[in-house]
Amino acid sequence: MTVFGWIILGLLAGVIAKVLLPGRDPGGLIGTTLIGIAGAFTGGWLSARFLDRPISNDFFDGATWLAAIGGSLVLLIAYRILFGHSRSR
């Protein structure tokens, strides 16, 4: 998968993570989107590095999607912890 594919996957993973963790984020839509992209890269890297799961070149690989969504969720939770969350407003 190309870098462009990872960006598209990150955008979609960010949207899915946002649906799974509703509420207002400190960064808004753009911040959540960037977190999704970073989460896709992070999740893919962690999956390849520690779970011995090679990064697939197939855009529709389920494990790649789970890694991207999982990475997005982790980064979104960390972002809310560090910079505020929806319960404080």
Side-chain angles (χ1 to χ4, degrees):
M1 186 167 21
T2 64
V3 173
F4 183 70
W6 276 103
I7 291 172
I8 297 298
L9 177 65
L11 289 171
L12 295 173
V15 168
I16 292 169
K18 180 67 176 162
V19 168
L20 293 174
L21 290 173
R24 294 188 334 191
D25 293 318
L29 179 64
I30 294 173
T32 304
T33 302
L34 293 175
I35 287 172
I37 294 170
F41 282 104
T42 303
W45 178 79
L46 288 172
S47 175
R49 178 78 174 145
F50 296 109
L51 299 177
D52 198 29
R53 169 90 175 126
I55 297 173
S56 175
N57 287 332
D58 186 17
F59 184 77
F60 297 104
D61 182 44
T64 302
W65 277 87
L66 287 175
I69 293 168
S72 297
L73 284 170
V74 168
L75 289 182
L76 185 59
I77 290 168
Y79 184 67
R80 285 183 179 182
I81 289 170
L82 292 174
F83 298 106
H85 51 80
S86 62
R87 302 282 184 224
S88 66
R89 296 181 191 215

